[in-house]
């Protein structure tokens, strides 16, 4: 019997999202003695605590991303984290790897299942413990990549790809990226002071030998008060007299995120909040040696799918892997470096970028901005991805034009 005509694409909504505080990778970082899977467990448990009206058995799947899927990030971490978090054994889970866009892909993959009707409610997120698993550790790239020149050697080092972007766009100077980085630090510090960051954080207790237990409630990487003069003196490790430094790029970090997604019907049935509605998403490939330009074609594709233009986007959450990557995106679309629509709460240069977890951080921040600013209808979360890709998700604000006064009106503002 043909039942395909009975299927209808369903609306997908972002119900809630949380994350651990992000830590600095390494022996001195807050998570040096904490397992990656335990960070995911904290996020899953917090989602369930914050949404008690959701019966755990109603969760249809758990998708968790990690770039380095070994050790405490291996063993099909979506399933193992679900079991460790105390979800019923009937709840399945799986693992995803799309490097930096891991959590974003966990969201889009499970959202597609919701839209198709295979799921009603899912948990999607990501984790990266770069202290335990440095990027590329244990990887064995096929020698054909080099021998057959399938990729440029620079493609295997993200810092080199950022320097290549500077070569391609000489108008993006080191002075300009340093200024952007300082603005990111300042915006994050302001958002933290205004109470916009802490509500999404899950406290994590950690143990350090000789120091005992500590409850971590704040991100470790931010450096408030950073100046352009501070950044000008930093070395450029990827190239002599280069332009990419530790000050205008995201650091090496540990952290986890998780989001609760549902069909609009299931959210209404269960009394779950609706923070955003998914409009569409797109992934795109680019030359691996300039992977940072990936968000440009991904965003153009997503806009075409949605029937929107860049002028329709009222808020941008762009992952700040490198300042040059963000600025190349802004230049392409004619958006000013200091446009108030862009990364209002600061970004990864300040707060950190634990690779596969970052996509949901972007979504958390966009959802909170939607709650604050009802003049904005559409926003995007976008990021570049190692080995030459980009990802963009377009979201709609469910609070758009509900009549609540807002402090700013930004949608459609021209750079």
């Amino acid at each position: 019997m043909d039942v395909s005509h009975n299927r209808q694409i369903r609306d997908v909504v972002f119900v809630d999202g949380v994350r651990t505080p992000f830590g600095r990778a390494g022996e001195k970082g807050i998570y040096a003695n904490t397992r990656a899977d335990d960070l995911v467990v904290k996020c899953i448990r917090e989602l369930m605590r914050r949404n008690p009206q959701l019966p755990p058995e109603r969760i249809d799947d758990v998708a968790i991303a990690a770039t380095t899927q070994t050790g405490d990030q291996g063993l099909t971490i979506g399933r193992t984290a679900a079991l460790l978090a105390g979800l019923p054994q009937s709840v399945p889970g799986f693992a995803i790897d799309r490097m930096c866009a891991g959590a974003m892909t966990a969201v889009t993959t499970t959202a597609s299942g919701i839209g198709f009707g295979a799921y009603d409610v899912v948990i999607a997120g990501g984790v990266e413990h770069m202290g335990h698993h440095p990027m590329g550790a244990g990887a064995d790239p096929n020698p054909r990549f080099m021998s057959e020149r399938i990729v440029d050697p620079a493609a295997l080092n993200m810092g080199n790809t950022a320097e290549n972007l500077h070569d391609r766009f000489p108008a993006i100077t080191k002075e300009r990226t340093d200024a952007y980085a300082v603005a990111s630090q300042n915006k994050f510090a302001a958002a933290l002071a205004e109470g916009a960051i802490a509500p999404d954080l899950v406290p994590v207790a950690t143990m350090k030998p000789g120091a005992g237990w500590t409850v971590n409630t704040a991100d470790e990487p931010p450096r408030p008060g950073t100046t352009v003069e501070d950044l000008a003196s930093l070395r450029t490790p990827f190239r002599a007299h280069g332009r990419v430094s530790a000050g205008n790029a995201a650091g090496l970090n540990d952290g986890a995120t998780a989001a609760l997604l549902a069909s609009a019907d299931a959210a209404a049935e269960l009394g779950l909040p609706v923070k955003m509605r998914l409009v569409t998403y797109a992934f795109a490939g680019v030359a691996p040696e300039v992977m940072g330009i990936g968000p440009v074609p991904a965003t153009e594709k997503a806009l075409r799918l949605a029937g929107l233009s860049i002028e329709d986007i009222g808020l941008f959450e762009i992952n700040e892997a490198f300042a040059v990557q963000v600025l190349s995106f802004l230049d392409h679309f004619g958006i000013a470096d200091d446009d108030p629509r862009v990364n209002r709460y600061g970004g990864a240069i300040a707060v950190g970028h634990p690779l596969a977890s970052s996509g949901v951080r972007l979504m958390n921040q966009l959802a909170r901005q939607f709650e604050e600013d009802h003049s904005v209808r559409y926003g995007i979360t976008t990021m570049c991805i190692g080995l030459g890709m980009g990802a963009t998700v377009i979201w709609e604000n469910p609070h758009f034009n509900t009549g609540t006064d807002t402090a700013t009106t930004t949608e459609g503002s021209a750079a």
Side-chain angles (χ1 to χ4, degrees), residues 12-243:
V12 180
V13 298
F14 183 96
V15 171
D16 201 2
V18 298
R19 66 176 179 88
T20 68
F22 288 170
R24 294 194 186 110
E27 294 181 358
K28 296 182 180 179
I30 57 177
Y31 298 131
N33 299 295
T34 302
R35 290 179 59 96
D37 48 11
D38 283 336
L39 294 178
V40 179
V41 167
K42 290 284 187 183
C43 292
I44 294 175
R45 286 178 172 170
E46 180 65 6
L47 282 177
M48 301 308 297
R49 186 194 70 80
R50 286 164 51 137
N51 297 278
Q53 67 275 47
L54 172 62
E57 62 272 15
R58 288 295 302 271
I59 297 170
D60 292 306
D61 218 338
V62 177
I64 301 297
T67 301
T68 306
Q69 295 192 9
T70 187
D72 55 348
Q73 292 183 176
L75 203 62
T76 313
I77 192 168
R79 172 61 170 171
T80 55
L83 292 171
L84 290 165
L87 296 181
Q89 293 182 350
S90 59
V91 177
F94 62 105
I96 280 181
D97 174 18
R98 203 198 293 258
M99 290 194 169
C100 301
M104 188 171 283
T105 305
V107 166
T108 57
T109 298
T110 52
S112 297
I114 293 172
F116 181 73
Y119 302 143
D120 284 328
V121 183
V122 298
I123 290 174
V127 63
E128 209 71 54
H129 199 308
M130 301 182 77
H132 291 175
H133 311 287
M135 188 173 185
D140 181 20
N142 193 302
R144 291 179 51 235
F145 280 125
M146 299 298 112
S147 64
E148 299 180 19
R149 300 184 179 180
I150 294 171
V151 300
D152 186 286
L156 302 181
N157 182 296
M158 298 303 102
N160 288 341
T161 69
E163 288 284 7
N164 288 344
L165 266 190
H166 275 287
D167 292 342
R168 178 171 289 194
F169 303 111
I172 306 177
T173 62
K174 184 176 187 301
E175 292 73 22
R176 190 174 161 198
T177 56
D178 285 350
Y180 180 88
V182 168
S184 179
Q185 294 281 359
N186 291 341
K187 288 190 286 187
F188 183 82
L192 185 64
E194 293 165 4
I197 303 299
D200 294 331
L201 300 186
V202 183
V204 179
T206 58
M207 165 66 81
K208 281 193 175 182
W213 287 93
T214 301
V215 177
N216 301 281
T217 59
D219 297 298
E220 195 175 22
R223 295 181 179 274
T226 296
T227 66
V228 171
E229 290 74 23
D230 294 331
L231 300 189
S233 65
L234 296 179
R235 68 186 186 93
T236 56
F238 305 108
R239 186 183 296 182
H241 309 293
R243 293 139 299 191

Side-chain angles (χ1 to χ4, degrees), residues 225-281:
T226 296
T227 66
V228 171
E229 290 74 23
D230 294 331
L231 300 189
S233 65
L234 296 179
R235 68 186 186 93
T236 56
F238 305 108
R239 186 183 296 182
H241 309 293
R243 293 139 299 191
V244 179
S245 73
N248 58 34
L252 305 178
N253 306 109
D254 308 329
T257 62
L260 196 60
L261 306 171
S263 70
D265 290 343
E269 173 201 345
L270 296 168
L272 297 171
V274 174
K275 294 186 176 181
M276 300 192 291
R277 184 183 73 84
L278 179 64
V279 177
T280 194
Y281 64 87

Side-chain angles (χ1 to χ4, degrees), residues 26 81 129 134 140 195 240 303 308 315 336 345 405 409:
H129 199 308
D140 181 20
L303 290 170
L308 298 172
L315 288 167
Y345 294 170
D405 290 339
T409 301

